[in-house]
């Protein structure tokens, strides 16, 4: 199982960028049911916020709804996830609070995190799938089809 971060969603529908194609590829694998992936309400909310700044609220809401459908069922962040994430946030200056909580949720699920944010790479026990890596697509297939 893969937990998708906001960066993947943003790059997948963004303009010309080196990370756009790998992010689109991941979502295409999910759409074809070749890969199992999900995300949280907070990630989709974050995407809508970022997208609306550049493309308007209607576009952002439409795409956010399509991501909700694609990545359904979404996983909920529990109070235990929040506590574990805040502990990590307090002790690891590389991670923002949002990413620390997302990492805690993924760890509790036994899932990998797909994100362009390299701070996820330093978390013990967490598999980080970085769209900048040359083997991203094969790693997505290996992790997303086996968990």
């Amino acid at each position: 199982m893969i937990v998708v971060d906001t960066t993947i969603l943003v790059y997948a529908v963004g303009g010309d960028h080196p990370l756009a194609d790998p992010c689109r590829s991941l979502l295409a694998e999910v759409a074809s049911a070749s890969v199992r992936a999900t995300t949280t309400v907070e990630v989709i909310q974050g995407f809508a916020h970022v997208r609306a700044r550049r493309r308007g609220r209607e576009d952002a809401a439409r795409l956010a709804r399509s991501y909700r459908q694609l990545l359904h069922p979404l996983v909920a962040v529990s109070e235990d996830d929040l506590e574990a994430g805040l502990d990590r946030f307090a002790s690891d200056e590389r991670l923002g609070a949002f990413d620390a909580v997302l990492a805690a949720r993924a760890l509790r699920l036994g899932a990998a995190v797909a994100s362009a944010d390299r701070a996820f790479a330093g978390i013990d026990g967490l598999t980080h799938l970085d769209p900048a890596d040359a083997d991203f697509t094969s790693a997505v297939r290996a992790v997303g089809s086996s968990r």
Side-chain angles (χ1 to χ4, degrees), residues 6-147:
T6 310
T7 58
I8 300 293
L9 305 181
V10 169
Y11 284 124
V13 294
D16 188 28
H17 190 279
L19 300 182
D21 285 341
C23 294
R24 290 176 187 138
S25 175
L26 165 59
L27 298 178
E29 294 279 347
V30 175
S32 72
S34 299
V35 166
R36 289 182 51 221
T38 188
T39 196
T40 65
V41 167
E42 295 84 1
V43 165
I44 293 179
Q45 178 184 356
F47 164 80
H49 175 76
V50 170
R51 180 72 178 187
R53 289 187 299 184
R54 294 185 179 197
R55 302 291 180 154
R57 289 176 177 240
E58 286 184 33
D59 176 75
R62 179 183 56 78
L63 287 171
R65 286 184 178 106
S66 70
Y67 281 146
R68 178 189 54 82
Q69 291 173 337
L70 177 67
L71 298 165
H72 177 81
L74 302 181
V75 293
V77 173
S78 71
E79 289 183 37
D80 290 341
D81 299 326
L82 177 62
E83 273 304 310
L86 291 174
D87 287 345
R88 184 171 301 280
F89 172 70
S91 65
D92 188 342
E93 292 189 15
R94 295 169 303 152
L95 285 171
F98 181 89
D99 290 342
V101 173
L102 187 64
R105 183 65 189 131
L107 284 166
R108 291 173 65 84
L109 286 171
V113 170
S115 177
D117 186 339
R118 296 206 172 145
F120 286 106
I123 299 174
D124 288 339
L126 182 68
T127 299
H128 173 227
L129 303 170
D130 185 344
D133 291 345
D135 67 343
F136 177 71
T137 300
S138 60
V140 161
R141 289 177 182 147
V143 172
S145 63
S146 66
R147 291 189 183 182

